[in-house]
Amino acid sequence: MAKEKPVVVEGEVIEALPNAMFRVKLDNNHIVLAHVAGKMRMHFIKILPGDKVKLEISPYSIEKGRIIYRYK
């Protein structure tokens, strides 16, 4: 069975949670729980509420995401 590719969307961080988790509001007003991707966590990229980010969301669960980029 072929693996489905993740959906890439943009949103705004609305809340920082413990353990590098965040609540992100997408452009379509949907709120997802997101964690920081490995390279961003490895290089200690700071993410604060109000930051614009790019997320990968699995097609299997649209409630969880992975932050892959923080816009400047």
Side-chain angles (χ1 to χ4, degrees):
M1 185 171 155
K3 186 176 180 181
E4 299 286 330
K5 290 191 174 193
V7 178
V8 178
V9 294
E10 294 180 1
E12 180 179 341
V13 176
I14 57 173
E15 184 180 2
L17 302 170
N19 207 16
M21 300 289 284
F22 299 92
R23 266 190 226 291
V24 179
K25 185 176 182 181
L26 303 181
D27 293 338
N28 61 4
N29 292 331
H30 188 73
I31 295 176
V32 298
L33 183 65
H35 66 90
V36 180
K39 288 279 187 179
M40 291 184 67
R41 184 180 283 210
M42 190 171 74
H43 293 288
F44 303 107
I45 304 296
K46 299 276 185 194
I47 299 175
L48 299 172
D51 286 347
K52 292 279 189 183
V53 292
K54 186 186 291 186
L55 298 173
E56 281 183 351
I57 297 177
S58 168
Y60 302 111
S61 172
I62 60 170
E63 300 298 320
K64 294 180 183 173
R66 181 172 180 255
I67 297 174
I68 57 172
Y69 187 77
R70 179 186 59 117
Y71 292 104
K72 294 181 181 177

